[in-house]
Amino acid sequence: MGLKQIASETVTSATSSVDLIGTTTDDCYMIVVNGYIPTSDAADLRARVLESSTPNTTANYDRAFLAIRTDTTYSNQSNTNETYYDLTTAVGNSTGEQMNGIMYIYNANDSNEFTYITAENSQLSHTALLIGNQGSAVFTSDSQVNGIRLYPNTGTIASGTFTLYQIEQ
Amino acid sequence: MSSLIKIDETTVGTPANRINITDVFSADYDTYCIQVTNTLAGTQRENNSMDIQLINSSDSVITDTIYDSEMIFARGFSVSYLAVGGASRNEIGILYHDNGAQNGNGNMIMWVFNPFQSDTYTYQVQQSSGRMSYPSTTEIPYMSKGLGVLRQQSSITGYSFVNRDSYNINLGTFRTYGLKVD
């Protein structure tokens, strides 16, 4: 077993979204987000599945997370029937503030199954608070997913490296 | 060839309170995976653990309270999670274990982001599993998931595990991988 890079994009100037395309086998895939910084302070990083490289915007995204944070005890977070999958909590863009994380994607290529995601991340919010959302999400539609779009809920992506790996058998 | 490139493997040979893994982070990679397996403490203690600290380019362990870290900690004696951590701490993470008489064992995967870049903070996410003692000498399994940040723009080249109460780390293997981006 090993990691095979499928796609990668390094953002160095304002970019509205990043499409990571290539979940074309039944293997599990891993996305690494390194150094995501939004142009707008307190912007979340969101994800949508790509079908034939087009983002699906229907209300078929559910998630269940623990938000681990240093200012108070962890909290449960869950949503159903959203039109996106929210990865973060108000990421900051001042000195040192950014988001890093790992996502695993399951059953993306299988048109007879939902697409599942587990994720863990570490970020400093716009108030320089350490928060990490650790949990899972599911795209509740039987469809063939060939990638993931990552985008901020407001503004654009200022910088970051976004890489898709196939976990080869 | 896998994009995950092995950089170093260090196995504890001589028991020591602190294990330093130096010169593993470089400009070659921005993301690293650290695998820690089969750690064993030299002395029994309730809530026995190792603090994880970072080593700068001068080969000095950063022990100042300039880390934030937090994790959820599920111990086998309770149905609820414990929140461990906070701001302004002197460790970026914690790994629990105990000695052989308690069947102690610590195992962890930790991803480290941007340690070598001198203009960014260093972040980590981790998950761990093992056996420890709580309360007193009661053996229990545990798991944790957590995260941390070093709030300093500096070039980090390594990491360090130090056992609490000056107890020794008797066993353990520390593997460091770099994640290649082409």
Side-chain angles (χ1 to χ4, degrees):
Chain A
M1 189 177 79
L3 293 178
K4 176 183 178 183
Q5 182 179 317
I6 301 299
S8 184
E9 182 169 342
T10 297
V11 175
T12 56
S13 61
T15 300
S16 59
S17 64
V18 169
D19 288 352
L20 296 172
I21 295 171
T23 55
T24 55
T25 74
D26 290 337
D27 289 329
C28 177
Y29 288 80
M30 182 175 84
I31 289 175
V32 177
V33 177
N34 184 300
Y36 160 70
I37 300 175
T39 55
S40 300
D41 203 16
D44 287 339
L45 184 64
R46 293 178 172 174
R48 284 178 169 142
V49 301
L50 298 172
E51 296 164 332
S52 301
S53 303
T54 300
N56 188 309
T57 60
T58 59
N60 282 299
Y61 296 84
D62 299 349
R63 69 169 188 157
F65 267 78
L66 285 177
I68 303 172
R69 51 196 295 161
T70 53
D71 63 335
T72 184
T73 192
Y74 63 90
S75 62
N76 299 315
Q77 295 189 357
S78 63
N79 303 88
T80 57
N81 301 324
E82 292 194 305
T83 58
Y84 53 83
Y85 162 43
D86 199 345
L87 284 162
T88 65
T89 305
V91 179
N93 63 6
S94 298
T95 301
E97 295 173 348
Q98 59 178 240
M99 172 266 185
N100 299 277
I102 306 285
M103 300 167 59
Y104 296 97
I105 305 165
Y106 311 86
N107 301 331
N109 187 58
D110 191 337
S111 60
N112 296 309
E113 296 288 349
F114 295 173
T115 296
Y116 291 84
I117 292 171
T118 57
E120 51 187 348
N121 65 59
S122 179
Q123 64 156 89
L124 284 175
S125 75
H126 67 297
T127 58
L129 172 69
L130 180 68
I131 306 177
N133 289 335
Q134 323 278 321
S136 63
V138 56
F139 175 64
T140 56
S141 174
D142 293 338
S143 69
Q144 189 172 45
V145 168
N146 76 327
I148 297 288
R149 169 168 290 186
L150 298 167
Y151 68 101
N153 67 323
T154 182
T156 56
I157 301 171
S159 60
T161 298
F162 307 84
T163 308
L164 172 68
Y165 296 92
Q166 176 185 354
I167 303 177
E168 292 182 299
Q169 303 291 332
Chain B
M1 191 177 81
S2 176
S3 296
L4 199 59
I5 309 299
K6 190 174 184 179
I7 297 168
D8 178 76
E9 178 171 328
T10 297
T11 298
V12 177
T14 303
N17 172 243
R18 180 182 289 278
I19 305 297
N20 289 341
I21 312 295
T22 58
D23 300 322
V24 289
F25 304 142
S26 70
D28 292 342
Y29 308 99
D30 294 326
T31 305
Y32 296 83
C33 182
I34 296 171
Q35 300 177 4
V36 182
T37 54
N38 289 322
T39 69
L40 185 72
T43 304
Q44 195 276 331
R45 188 195 194 284
E46 175 184 287
N47 278 334
N48 209 346
S49 62
M50 296 171 285
D51 287 346
I52 307 165
Q53 298 171 324
L54 299 175
I55 297 174
N56 64 24
S57 55
S58 300
D59 280 344
S60 298
V61 179
I62 299 171
T63 59
D64 301 329
T65 54
I66 54 174
Y67 302 93
D68 294 353
S69 66
E70 188 76 23
M71 67 180 192
I72 55 167
F73 187 31
R75 295 183 295 187
F77 84 108
S78 170
V79 296
S80 61
Y81 291 135
L82 187 67
V84 177
S88 302
R89 297 172 66 87
N90 62 6
E91 90 286 323
I92 199 168
I94 300 171
L95 178 60
Y96 286 81
H97 67 169
D98 208 0
N99 70 336
Q102 304 302 117
N103 294 309
N105 200 294
N107 305 277
M108 160 185 272
I109 296 284
M110 180 168 69
W111 289 92
V112 180
F113 301 91
N114 297 318
F116 191 76
Q117 288 180 232
S118 59
D119 60 347
T120 65
Y121 292 178
T122 298
Y123 289 75
Q124 67 90 1
V125 293
Q126 60 86 8
Q127 47 193 308
S128 65
S129 175
R131 289 188 71 83
M132 56 177 287
S133 300
Y134 190 88
S136 186
T137 59
T138 303
E139 296 176 30
I140 56 168
Y142 78 87
M143 64 77 71
S144 77
K145 288 181 73 71
L147 57 145
V149 61
L150 170 66
R151 289 176 174 273
Q152 184 183 69
Q153 291 173 298
S154 61
S155 186
I156 301 301
T157 55
Y159 57 95
S160 178
F161 281 67
V162 58
N163 209 98
R164 67 188 300 179
D165 290 347
S166 300
Y167 294 155
N168 278 346
I169 302 166
N170 276 13
L171 295 174
T173 299
F174 302 80
R175 297 181 180 89
T176 308
Y177 299 83
L179 185 58
K180 188 169 62 172
V181 178
D182 294 325

